[in-house]
Amino acid sequence: MTRTYVVTGAGSGIGQATAELLRERGYTVVGVDLKGADIAADLSTPEGRKQAVADTLEATGGKVDAIVAAAGVSAPKAFTVSVNFFGVTEFVDALVPALAKSDAPRVAVVSSMASLQQNSPEQVEAMLAGDEAKALEIGRALEAQGPAGYLNYPSSKRAISRWIRKVGITERYAGNHIPVNAVAPGTVITNMTRELLSTEAGRKMADDNVPMPLNYHSEAIVIARLLAWLTSEENTHLT
């Protein structure tokens, strides 16, 4: 029987590349995104996440074999934490009962090497505590400081990476035989980065912050192949 994958951010970038790759391999894929996917959803709000979960359960018949959570934004604005952290954790966690029905359930999330960059520890802790209101309050204060608004992005990715480590060993995930993983790409050529990388100044800024001496900038398909393996039946122990 074919596996059923749910891919968020399936309308563009890494999510789109992953959804296309999985379909090419013969799997059933339910894409979730603001537009350009099977399910239209706004993961930046609690209401949008709940609706996305309901629509996903309806589309999959209540059984999901794997989730690839690739939806994300890099805007220097507070709502970035709502999409990148709460839009992942609340969506994935709500689908654990559907994953538990699978013989080989898997979860993989797209984080970023930005998780290693300067961030707001206070905001990271607010996210990990599940306090979206506080995380947004801190984010708006950063946003008001101009360039400091960028900290919303690495903070969201640091928090999601820590969440992965936190839940991966729990009864809810490990106890249900669900390996949970994140990938942390460097510079990937997608709609999110294409404009930045189109100029010499933009490329220099990207390369100064994210040096990539091995094969330089990545195409989205490279990350998609890793996500496909992490969520495959072959990955029984890597978390």
Side-chain angles (χ1 to χ4, degrees):
M1 185 178 292
T2 185
R3 285 169 67 73
T4 297
Y5 285 77
V6 175
V7 180
T8 71
S12 63
I14 294 171
Q16 183 179 49
T18 304
E20 290 175 353
L21 176 65
L22 292 168
R23 287 189 177 112
E24 287 170 7
R25 293 182 177 181
Y27 300 119
T28 298
V29 177
V30 176
V32 179
D33 211 328
L34 274 172
K35 58 182 180 180
D38 305 292
I39 294 173
D42 182 0
L43 298 176
S44 71
T45 69
E47 297 76 17
R49 292 166 211 147
K50 289 176 184 175
Q51 188 61 54
V53 169
D55 290 345
T56 297
L57 290 172
E58 182 178 354
T60 60
K63 180 191 170 190
V64 174
D65 293 292
I67 300 171
V68 175
V73 294
S74 60
K77 297 182 181 296
F79 84 92
T80 294
V81 304
S82 289
V83 178
N84 293 2
F85 183 80
F86 295 98
V88 171
T89 59
E90 291 187 5
F91 180 79
V92 169
D93 206 57
L95 289 174
V96 166
L99 285 165
K101 296 177 182 178
S102 171
D103 293 331
R106 309 283 184 261
V107 172
V109 176
V110 177
S111 182
S112 169
M113 66 71 54
S115 62
L116 303 175
Q117 293 177 336
Q118 181 182 356
N119 59 76
S120 165
E122 183 186 16
Q123 190 182 41
V124 170
E125 293 302 330
M127 283 183 266
L128 290 170
D131 193 340
E132 186 169 6
K134 184 176 180 181
L136 286 170
E137 180 185 348
I138 296 167
R140 285 189 287 268
L142 292 170
E143 196 179 323
Q145 297 174 42
Y150 174 72
L151 292 179
N152 282 290
Y153 181 65
S155 297
S156 72
K157 294 301 187 179
R158 173 67 66 91
I160 200 65
S161 297
R162 284 182 57 186
W163 180 82
I164 292 287
R165 294 186 180 96
K166 180 180 177 181
V167 304
I169 58 173
T170 63
E171 184 65 25
R172 184 165 177 81
Y173 287 87
N176 279 307
H177 313 289
I178 306 172
V180 188
N181 286 281
V183 297
T187 302
V188 181
I189 303 167
T190 65
N191 290 342
M192 191 184 291
T193 60
R194 196 166 276 111
E195 184 177 349
L196 175 70
L197 300 176
S198 67
T199 66
E200 187 174 343
R203 288 190 295 274
K204 183 179 187 308
M205 184 177 79
D207 295 343
D208 285 348
N209 285 281
V210 190
M212 295 183 67
L214 176 63
N215 296 328
Y216 205 41
H217 302 152
S218 170
E219 296 288 346
I221 188 61
V222 176
I223 316 304
R225 293 183 188 121
L226 177 55
L227 290 165
W229 184 83
L230 287 169
T231 51
S232 73
E233 293 169 287
E234 292 182 349
N235 178 25
T236 56
H237 284 76
L238 179 63
T239 186

